[in-house]
Amino acid sequence: MVRTWVDGWVVSRGASPPLVEPWGYTIDVGTAEHVTRHVLDAVNDAVEERTVRKVADAVTGTGVALKVFDDPATVGGWLGEGWRTDPEQGYLMSVALTPTEAPAVPEGYRVRVWTRGGVTRVMLAAPDGSWAARGQIAPTGGTAVVDQVETSPAHRRRGLGSFVMRTLAREAVAQGAERGVPAGTPDGRALYEALGRRVEAPLTNARFTAPGTSTCRPTGRPGHGA
């Protein structure tokens, strides 16, 4: 499942193809704030402290991210100086995708759906034309990775997130996907579980900033697509 998520994420973000490592995957993203990310392929009880320490200790440059599918309260204690972990736990989830009817567009909103470069995006605009909600999905064969589902604070609790998710799922099924694999925050988890998603593993998001800084400090909210 980790490889499935990695493959869809690199398509969704336009990142480099994953380099397979003995412990997981290395992905080059190519921005100053997010140069590279390392993703361990073990989940839950299979995550080993010595492996996390080995990968983390080899990092010396700022802007490198580390994704570990275990509790941040545990993983944070394994990271050395310079690493900052998001104290808010993320989640890796999955759901079976089946054909459904197109959801009704929320009253007063305008929807736009388009696909480019293998990524399908959904956008909702408010009655005044401002941004209200968005999300994207990257089908990779039989699976699809949901990414960057967001709702404007001014338009929350109106069913927009649910509409975006249902529309993305329907588009993925039309492209041959049978299972969705999102990763996100507690807010994302609540939305995904309401739509039948199942939690597979917790997710620790960590970033190397500079030697000498403290661990277990906020890295910034990752949104519904870590």
Side-chain angles (χ1 to χ4, degrees), residues 9-166:
W9 189 90
V10 300
V11 172
S12 179
R13 302 295 179 95
S16 72
L19 175 64
V20 178
E21 308 276 11
W23 39 261
Y25 311 96
T26 293
I27 304 161
D28 288 320
V29 183
T31 67
E33 297 78 17
H34 195 171
V35 182
T36 300
R37 67 164 45 188
H38 300 309
V39 183
L40 272 64
D41 61 3
V43 299
N44 298 317
D45 293 341
V47 176
E48 298 182 339
E49 178 180 353
R50 62 180 180 179
T51 302
V52 174
R53 289 185 180 275
K54 178 180 178 180
V55 176
D57 290 349
V59 175
T60 57
T62 60
V64 175
L66 177 65
K67 307 292 179 179
V68 182
F69 293 99
D70 201 356
D71 191 329
T74 299
V75 176
W78 299 341
L79 303 178
E81 290 188 353
W83 283 99
R84 295 193 178 193
T85 60
D86 193 323
E88 186 174 64
Q89 180 172 293
Y91 301 93
L92 178 68
M93 309 184 75
S94 69
V95 63
L97 299 177
T98 57
T100 59
E101 296 293 328
V105 179
E107 185 176 357
Y109 291 87
R110 176 175 63 84
V111 63
R112 182 76 181 274
V113 182
W114 70 97
T115 299
R116 179 169 294 178
V119 181
T120 296
R121 293 175 171 84
V122 176
M123 184 201 76
L124 281 169
D128 64 359
S130 62
W131 172 75
R134 73 169 308 280
Q136 60 195 60
I137 196 164
T140 53
T143 57
V145 170
V146 181
D147 193 21
Q148 296 188 317
V149 177
E150 302 173 83
T151 302
S152 165
H155 297 274
R156 290 176 183 167
R157 302 188 183 282
R158 301 182 187 182
L160 304 190
S162 177
F163 173 85
V164 169
M165 288 293 298
R166 293 180 188 280

Side-chain angles (χ1 to χ4, degrees), residues 166-221:
R166 293 180 188 280
T167 302
L168 290 173
R170 190 167 184 271
E171 293 291 326
V173 168
Q175 297 178 49
E178 298 177 349
R179 179 162 293 276
V181 184
T185 63
D187 286 345
R189 174 182 178 174
L191 170 62
Y192 297 148
E193 285 187 323
L195 297 174
R197 275 66 177 167
R198 181 180 67 186
V199 173
E200 301 290 349
L203 170 60
T204 296
N205 296 289
R207 191 178 304 274
F208 190 77
T209 55
T213 56
S214 300
T215 59
C216 298
R217 297 277 298 280
T219 62
R221 189 176 182 84

